[in-house]
Each structure stands twice: as C-alpha cells, then as structure tokens.
Amino acid sequence: MFTTLLYAVRESVATITLNRPDVYNAFDDTLSYELQDALKQADRDAAVRAVVLTGAGKAFCSGQDLKAAMSQGSRNLGDSLHKRYNPIIRAIRNMPKPVICRLNGVAAGAGCSLALACDMIIAADNASMIELFINIALVLDSGSSYFLPRTIGYHRAFELATKATKLSAEEAQQLGLINRVVPAAQLDEAVAAEAAYYAQAPTKAIALMKKMLSKGMTESLDAALEYEAYCQEIAGNTEDNTEGVLAFMEKRKPAFKGA
C-alpha cells in the first residue's frame, strides 16, 4: 500500500515507520502524503488504540529532502507547508489515540517538529534533536514554534532555533523535550511496554485529555475549568468508566475496551 513507509498493526498498536533510510528518512512529496494517509488509517481503525511513529535505519527523520525539493525547481514554501507538513502535525495532535515517538536516531528540522508533535518520546541514548532551519536561512515550521517555547520557555527556544544547537537525547530529556532515554539495544522493549500500556488504557479518556492539555496551554483558568467539566461528562458516560468503577469496587484490574 505504501512505498516510502511501513505500516503494521499488532495487538492494537499501529506502527508507522518512515522508510527512506538511504536519505535518513527525509521527506519528499510521496512520504509526506503517505504519512498523512497512514495517520488517517490509524485514526479510523477502531482496532488501533495506540500509535508508534519511528524511522528505519539510523535516523528518525532528517527533515525535508533538499535534493528532491531542488530537483522540482522553485516552489512556494508556505504552500508546501499547508499541503504537506501541517496536515501531518494536525493529524497527530487530533488523533484520538496516544502517539508515541520511537526516537531511534537524529530528528532534524521538520523531523524534530514531527517528534515534538507526538504525545510521548522514548529515545535511544544515541538519538539527537536539532532545529536546522537557520542553517539555510529559514524559520521554524511544522509546529516547532508552538511546541518549543511551551515546553522549554522562550529564551531556550530562541537559542535552539537561532543557533541550530544539536541536543543529545540526554540533554533533550533534561530540557523536558523527551520522556525517557534508554540504551539503544533496549529501545524496542521500552517502546513496546509503553505502547502495550496505552493499548489497554481507556482510549476515549486519553483522547479527551489530549485535547484538554493542548487547550490548557493557551486557555484561561476559567475556560479550562469549563472544558474539564464538559470532557468529564463525556468520559463519565463511557463503558470504560463503568468498568473502571466496577473494577475498583471489586478490587481487580480493569479490562478497558477503549469504548
């Protein structure tokens, strides 16, 4: 079905692997559109309750494939963002399921933005993150101007953006950009454990919390309180809420179905 990525579903987890290892999984037009399609597929599949996003080979994603872009001649970069990159970031943030980034190598430029858009980042100890845009006199895109300052504050975000500072996985974790760093040999095990947890969690409640946390970064306290009440009413009417309460009363582990 796909030519530039791999898509597989196992035990309620959809794994999307960017598969252009010869160019460090850089984005060309085909990959950007296929990733949009893969995310839509994961969104629509009721059997999928968690998504893992990663890269083949040594890199996670090195951003835009500049050679591919140059071969197509002059193009409107704003239009390219609207059509190719922004739909990917929106799809991840609007995904009603947790998206885990398996950061197996470098995440650069738009690849860094892609990682930051995920709900959780589990990184190998040899992975790294870098906002490369300034090196070709471009600006942050694909959501980095949104995620960076909200995660690490304006001043650190300014420095990373304007100096193209490369962060090791450990440094990125210290700044709060990465959830967990593990030895490269243990990355698969660590990601599988996280994915298994979320694949058995109350999916609808997590989908609501994704929206709440995103809104909470920009809304006032009163607006956040109102939205919490709205979402809690929805969560309270789910089958998983009934199961969770019953399991608590019966002193057993709940069997959530994502419904």
Side-chain angles (χ1 to χ4, degrees), residues 197-210:
Y197 167 81
Y198 284 108
Q200 299 174 43
T203 311
K204 289 188 176 180
I206 290 174
L208 290 168
M209 282 195 275
K210 281 186 66 167

Side-chain angles (χ1 to χ4, degrees), residues 52-55 57-60 100-107 115 120-129 166-174 177-192:
V52 171
L53 183 58
T54 190
K58 297 180 179 180
F60 174 70
I100 302 168
C101 172
R102 175 185 175 274
L103 194 64
N104 58 303
V106 66
M120 175 175 284
I121 303 176
I122 309 298
D125 55 5
N126 59 357
S128 59
M129 305 180 83
K166 187 175 184 179
L167 297 174
S168 68
E170 297 262 356
E171 291 169 332
Q173 184 185 33
Q174 290 172 6
L177 293 169
I178 288 176
N179 295 82
R180 190 166 302 114
V181 178
V182 299
Q186 298 175 20
L187 182 60
D188 286 339
E189 180 183 356
V191 172

Side-chain angles (χ1 to χ4, degrees), residues 107-139:
C112 186
S113 301
L114 182 66
L116 293 176
C118 296
D119 299 301
M120 175 175 284
I121 303 176
I122 309 298
D125 55 5
N126 59 357
S128 59
M129 305 180 83
I130 180 171
E131 298 285 10
L132 279 173
F133 300 99
I134 195 66
N135 286 349
I136 53 173
L138 290 179
V139 300

Side-chain angles (χ1 to χ4, degrees), residues 35-234:
L35 183 52
Q36 291 180 35
D37 291 339
L39 290 167
K40 289 177 183 176
Q41 187 169 326
D43 188 335
R44 294 170 181 168
D45 188 347
V48 171
R49 294 171 62 186
V51 178
V52 171
L53 183 58
T54 190
K58 297 180 179 180
F60 174 70
C61 177
S62 59
Q64 171 63 41
D65 187 334
L66 294 179
K67 289 184 179 179
M70 290 177 64
S71 69
Q72 296 176 342
S74 178
R75 67 193 305 174
N76 185 313
L77 297 185
D79 191 49
S80 179
L81 287 173
H82 286 307
K83 292 180 179 179
R84 297 176 55 223
Y85 290 101
N86 293 351
I88 292 171
I89 304 305
R90 289 192 176 101
I92 293 173
R93 297 313 312 147
N94 293 329
M95 176 80 68
K97 305 159 188 184
V99 180
I100 302 168
C101 172
R102 175 185 175 274
L103 194 64
N104 58 303
V106 66
C112 186
S113 301
L114 182 66
L116 293 176
C118 296
D119 299 301
M120 175 175 284
I121 303 176
I122 309 298
D125 55 5
N126 59 357
S128 59
M129 305 180 83
I130 180 171
E131 298 285 10
L132 279 173
F133 300 99
I134 195 66
N135 286 349
I136 53 173
L138 290 179
V139 300
L140 299 173
D141 67 26
S142 306
S144 274
S145 68
Y146 179 88
F147 298 115
L148 270 182
R150 283 168 172 78
T151 305
I152 64 176
Y154 171 84
H155 295 95
R156 283 177 170 170
F158 177 84
E159 182 176 8
L160 293 182
T162 59
K163 290 188 175 181
T165 306
K166 187 175 184 179
L167 297 174
S168 68
E170 297 262 356
E171 291 169 332
Q173 184 185 33
Q174 290 172 6
L175 287 174
L177 293 169
I178 288 176
N179 295 82
R180 190 166 302 114
V181 178
V182 299
Q186 298 175 20
L187 182 60
D188 286 339
E189 180 183 356
V191 172
E194 292 292 348
Y197 167 81
Y198 284 108
Q200 299 174 43
T203 311
K204 289 188 176 180
I206 290 174
L208 290 168
M209 282 195 275
K210 281 186 66 167
K211 292 182 178 180
M212 291 167 63
L213 292 172
S214 292
K215 289 176 69 69
M217 291 192 293
T218 57
E219 297 282 2
S220 67
L221 174 60
D222 284 341
L225 291 172
E226 288 298 320
Y227 194 62
E228 284 177 353
Y230 168 76
C231 290
Q232 196 70 293
E233 181 178 356
I234 296 173

